[in-house]
Amino acid sequence: ASNEMWGGRFASGPAAIMEAINASIGFDKKLYAQDIAGSLAHSEMLAEQGIIAKADQEKIAHGLNTILSEIEAGTFVFSTKLEDIHMNVESRLAELIGPAAGRLHTARSRNDQVAVDFRLWTKNELTRTAEALKGLIAAFLDKAEAHAATVMPGFTHLQTAQPVTFGHHCMAYVEMFGRDLSRVRDAIERLDESPLGAAALAGTGFPIDRHRTASALGFREPTRNSIDSVSDRDYALEFLSVAAICATHLSRLAEEIVIWSTPQFAFVRLSDQFSTGSSIMPQKKNPDAAELVRAKTGRINGHLVGLLTVMKGLPLAYSKDMQEDKEAVFDAAETLDLMIAAMTGMVGDMTINTDAMKRAAGSGFSTATDLADWLVREAGLPFREAHHVTGRAVAMAEAQKKGLEKLSIEDLRSLNPAITEDVYSVLSVNNSVKSRKSFGGTAPAEVKRQIRYWRKRLAKA
Ligand code: ARG
């Protein structure tokens, strides 16, 4: 039998394999609530504009609400023959209310219908992501506050560079996730237009009110170009871009947690709740959650590249290719939710080994730059020369197998006679971090100022 929605010009129905490749109901059923909300808003507008009768609209609204409860109760029977969520809902509506159901699709196409459903879904998901990010940022702010003065080595090339504070390192992540949060808000801002009423691509001859449906659905305004309305998937691409950047941040953090939790570093200890054991090696405590956060980033990045590739060759306006947008976004959303939640838990729960951090902070000649800076400041050397003198001090300390602060004053003076006992004050890691008071620097007082700034900003974000 031919399709009941568009079978007029068809003599036979689709091949089984056609049905299999065409159907999206397996995944787009997730859009049921948005689909029903869109239909309710559309039908109310149609009645108000005198395009359909008020009595029909009431039947439609009643039927749609029944369908919503059926789906939520799990009693709704989804059919692959009916392709997608739109036709599944409409077909059930016809069963429930009869011929009035056929009036719902006046001045509408599945092309604008799917666009409005998916925008609503994505907007909701972005809003949830914003809340999740705020929770993660808050967890970092608490850690930063507790460890504003905890010294650790800062790294470049994963080689000890200069002492920093753990609080400062935490605040670096606050900046990263703060930018993610602002990208989420930007994405919502651009997405916030309703495509409903664009119809197939050209608009409609019926006297619809697109401003009315836009505001009924909580959009700022209707989209301005009907062709673009049904061919645009930027909101999905932006969701995936935002998700991929955020996932990349989470993955870098995950990598640091993996490194920090090794017995060799031992900077942090993960709680039992966020680690696993080994079935053969009794001593093991593995950072599986962090590893999986790192790994799942690959999926999200893959979804972004996947959808960009789907879209890149499509002529305007709608093509069925665009049906491939949903699984990418659904999976990325679910994955990102999980990653942020796991990270928030891990960060909140982990124990910081301040002794190990402090020990490591002092190793690797981490205060060499402080020595060079002292020579510039106190002995008037040009920085390049101070750099050279300090390099010789490091070589000397290395040869004597000790830290810079353990070199004798005679040894130091042999490198440059202007050096005095005062130099030892900058060779300690605590003094090193305290001295770095420049805006955005690692000094505990500056870190505390950064924390205060973010607490205020987060309250408004
Ligand atoms: N299931 C389709 C999608 O996800 C709905 C739109 C179908 N439109 C069409 N002209 N076939 O894109």
Side-chain angles (χ1 to χ4, degrees), residues 109-231:
S109 151
R110 274 188 297 155
N111 297 350
D112 58 336
Q113 191 177 353
V114 73
V116 79
D117 291 5
F118 200 26
R119 277 193 195 239
L120 283 171
W121 192 92
T122 306
K123 184 178 169 185
N124 184 53
E125 184 57 31
L126 283 164
T127 308
R128 283 162 38 93
T129 306
E131 286 313 305
L133 280 171
K134 285 166 70 174
L136 177 58
I137 292 171
F140 265 115
L141 286 173
D142 290 345
K143 274 280 176 277
E145 187 113 59
H147 293 283
T150 301
V151 288
M152 71 178 278
F155 298 93
T156 59
H157 314 263
L158 197 58
Q159 306 285 328
T160 300
Q162 294 173 343
V164 295
T165 68
F166 183 62
H168 193 214
H169 199 98
C170 288
M171 292 308 290
Y173 280 104
V174 167
E175 293 290 335
M176 292 153 81
F177 295 121
R179 285 193 296 274
D180 291 332
L181 178 57
S182 84
R183 265 186 285 276
V184 166
R185 300 279 188 227
D186 287 351
I188 294 175
E189 193 63 22
R190 258 186 304 282
L191 167 155
D192 210 7
E193 299 175 352
S194 169
L196 190 58
L201 81 164
T204 175
F206 291 100
I208 60 170
D209 183 348
R210 294 192 55 213
H211 293 270
R212 167 113 179 49
T213 49
S215 83
L217 292 169
F219 288 106
R220 189 184 56 233
E221 58 192 329
T223 52
R224 283 164 304 280
N225 181 300
S226 61
I227 297 173
D228 180 53
S229 303
V230 296
S231 76

Side-chain angles (χ1 to χ4, degrees), residues 262-281:
T262 58
Q264 289 74 14
F265 266 77
F267 283 5
V268 302
R269 223 186 41 197
L270 295 175
S271 73
D272 290 355
Q273 295 197 52
F274 285 96
S275 43
T276 55
S278 156
S279 54
I280 175 168
M281 297 164 283

